[in-house]
Structure formats: C-alpha cells, structure tokens
Amino acid sequence: GRARCQHRGMASSRNTYHHGDLRNALVASAARLIEAGGPGAFSLREAARTVGVSANAAYRHFDDKSVLMAAVAADGFAQLAKRMRRAMEGATADQSDPVSVARFKAVGRAYVEFASDHPPIFRLMFGEGMASCAKPDAETIDADSPWDLLGLTLDALVIDGVLDPARRPGAEWKAWAAVHGHASLMLEGVPQLTTTPVRHASLEALLQFAVVGICGDLRTEAEVQRPCPTTGQGTPI
C-alpha cells in the first residue's frame, strides 16, 4: 500500500541509539543520497550505512525504501514551507507593491527557488503518491504547509482590498499551478528558461501575471499604472 507520510517531529523509537535521533538521521542521509543521484541511487541499507548503523536498526523505523522515500518527501514539504514562511515574513512593501502583494510574490518566488536548489527532492515530492505528504499529519497539525502559507497570503490580499472576496475561493489552485508549472518547465530544461537571468526575469513576470490574473480589476493604483510585464523580448505577457 501507499507509504504513510512521516514528518520531522513525529514520535520515534525509544531506542534512539548514539545518534540521538536515528530516524531523522536516516531521513537526512536518504535526502543527501537522492540529491546526489536521484531516488534510484540509494537503498535503506545504504542510508543506514552512511549513518553508521546496521540495516536492522534502520528497519525499526522504516519498513522499506518506499516508506523512507515518503519521509524524505514529507520533510521536503516541511523545508519548502519553512522557506516560504521566511520569504513571506521578510517581504516588505515598496513603491510598486503593497506588503500583501509583496508577500504573495515572495512565497511563489521561494517555491521556485526551492525547486531550483533541490531538483531531485522536488521531483520526488511530486512523484507518484508523494504529493499526499504535502499536508502535515495530525501529530504536527500546528506546522505550516505550503498550501496554508499560500492561503494566508491570499487572505491578506483580500484584507488589503487587492483581491475581491468573490474571487478568493479556488485562488490557491490558480497560483500553485502557475508557479509549479514554471518550476517544472525550468527543471525540464526548456530552452526559454536555460539561463539564470532569463529564469529570474520570467519568474518575476509570471508572479506579476499571477497577481493581475487572480485579482482581476481590483488592483492597487500602482498595479494599474504599471506597464504590462514583458517576456524580456519586448512582448507583453
């Protein structure tokens, strides 16, 4: 059956060995092996070996490789949420955007940057059966999820009067599809996103496009007056 998602912070075995927290050590080891060679580049035994314990010790925490991979995917979502939270809290208003728009863009930017920094982990997170790990389990219900953080930024757009409350339902899907599509195309190496400057320019144009598309006519005065963003080749998007 499908492996149960396991997040950091969940209860682990009473026998924590000399590592202090063997379960999380195995998750971190597996993540490093996946980053280096992809999901096929490791086994539960290999993860145990790199940590310095026996395979039997690892099997006390994970039934098989698929369960460990699910734990790595869950941890990936947790790390993504942390990055999004930091970006959201660090965003500030400027001459172009009120703080709510800046925060909305910041979480989208953090999402794509995470994918760029951790391609194998990102692919694993959205591989078969792994996207179910995006939501923290009941044991860690107070933890952030990427979905929840995106929702907070959209709620702030409503509070600021940038987003019509009538357009709020379902806005998460529109925003997520936009940034996830950009991240996926980037990782696939499409010619239009092969250089860093083009990636950055395209992402900023996409984030602006998402604001206008989601918010419709209720945009800030600065948004209305700003010229339509372009692809970098003089063509409006």
Side-chain angles (χ1 to χ4, degrees), residues 139-230:
E139 292 90 338
T140 54
I141 197 63
D142 59 333
D144 289 326
S145 75
W147 180 266
D148 293 334
L149 292 171
L150 174 58
L152 288 176
T153 65
L154 290 165
D155 291 342
L157 290 175
V158 173
I159 293 171
D160 272 3
V162 179
L163 173 60
D164 187 336
R167 298 173 69 98
R168 173 65 182 83
E172 285 94 343
W173 291 113
K174 299 172 186 176
W176 198 342
V179 295
H180 186 81
H182 186 282
S184 298
L185 290 171
M186 175 189 67
L187 295 186
E188 291 304 316
V190 297
Q192 294 86 349
L193 297 173
T194 54
T195 67
T196 299
V198 171
R199 285 181 182 181
H200 288 167
S202 297
L203 176 57
E204 293 308 311
L206 175 74
L207 294 172
Q208 178 66 16
F209 180 81
V211 172
V212 175
I214 290 172
C215 295
D217 293 331
L218 283 183
R219 288 171 286 160
T220 65
E221 183 177 352
E223 285 285 298
V224 173
Q225 294 176 352
R226 184 187 308 174
C228 183
T230 68

Side-chain angles (χ1 to χ4, degrees), residues 28-41:
S29 173
R32 287 192 295 270
L33 291 169
I34 291 171
E35 292 261 28

